[in-house]
Amino acid sequence: VITLEINLDSIRNFVQLRKNIGTSGQPTSEQFRLIAEAGYGHVVNLATPDHPDSIPNEGQMITQLNMSYTHIPVPFDAPSPKHVKHFCGIMSILSTEQVFVHCIMNYRVSAFMFHFLNKIEGNSEAESKSEIFDWWSPDTVWKDLLKWTSTKIGL
């Protein structure tokens, strides 16, 4: 038996956040093939389609790789509680799946995953933080978002 080791570390800011949840910045078209080969069945994209690094036909490409796709475009300068609530709902539905979540730099994703892991899955704040927070210094918009309560988000 040959074991195929898929290395996702080449993807921008890749973090294997949980056994079934990988997160990153924007993967390339070729890296989406690696994501599919690694066993992920669903991709959630939080990037806006107007960013220069976004892939215009990403949803089509992902479905051609036999993965499902959810796009929640979140403006980096204006995330809303509705965005976080929608994201938490999607992640709850996909809780038993292998899910790959990305944005452009893995900042939006890390902040949204913090709320999902803390408020939906009941992990402590420390357990809910991605290693991205070890070096990312969120601006005021994102510092405020990280303080949102379940009530503010509508959970």
Side-chain angles (χ1 to χ4, degrees):
V1 175
I2 298 172
T3 303
L4 180 61
E5 177 90 19
I6 307 289
N7 187 349
L8 301 177
D9 290 335
S10 64
I11 300 172
R12 179 189 296 167
N13 295 335
F14 172 74
V15 176
Q16 187 68 48
L17 196 57
R18 293 293 187 268
K19 182 179 164 198
N20 66 322
I21 301 172
T23 68
S24 78
Q26 180 66 55
T28 64
S29 299
E30 190 56 43
Q31 289 168 335
F32 278 119
R33 285 182 183 75
L34 292 175
I35 291 165
E37 290 169 12
Y40 289 94
H42 195 96
V43 172
V44 178
N45 176 6
L46 299 182
T48 56
D50 59 347
H51 191 281
D53 291 350
S54 290
I55 298 174
N57 63 336
E58 182 173 313
Q60 177 185 4
M61 181 180 47
I62 287 168
T63 56
Q64 288 172 343
L65 291 168
N66 294 317
M67 295 184 287
S68 56
Y69 182 70
T70 300
H71 188 196
I72 306 170
V74 178
F76 194 75
D77 60 347
S80 75
K82 284 183 179 180
H83 290 128
V84 178
K85 181 179 181 180
H86 186 185
F87 175 78
C88 288
I90 294 295
M91 292 303 290
S92 293
I93 290 166
L94 298 171
S95 64
T96 61
E97 308 290 324
Q98 288 284 110
V99 182
F100 197 92
V101 190
H102 82 86
C103 54
I104 298 299
M105 294 300 295
N106 201 355
Y107 299 160
R108 277 172 271 230
V109 171
S110 295
F112 279 40
M113 284 301 307
F114 170 78
H115 283 302
F116 174 73
L117 294 172
N118 179 250
K119 292 170 179 62
I120 303 298
E121 294 204 338
N123 294 289
S124 71
E125 287 192 8
E127 293 170 326
S128 300
K129 285 194 171 180
S130 168
E131 65 189 57
I132 293 295
F133 289 104
D134 293 347
W135 53 268
W136 174 43
S137 297
D139 65 15
T140 305
V141 168
W142 291 93
K143 282 180 184 172
D144 288 347
L145 178 143
L146 291 166
K147 294 176 189 169
W148 289 353
T149 63
S150 295
T151 304
K152 180 170 177 83
I153 297 168
L155 300 175

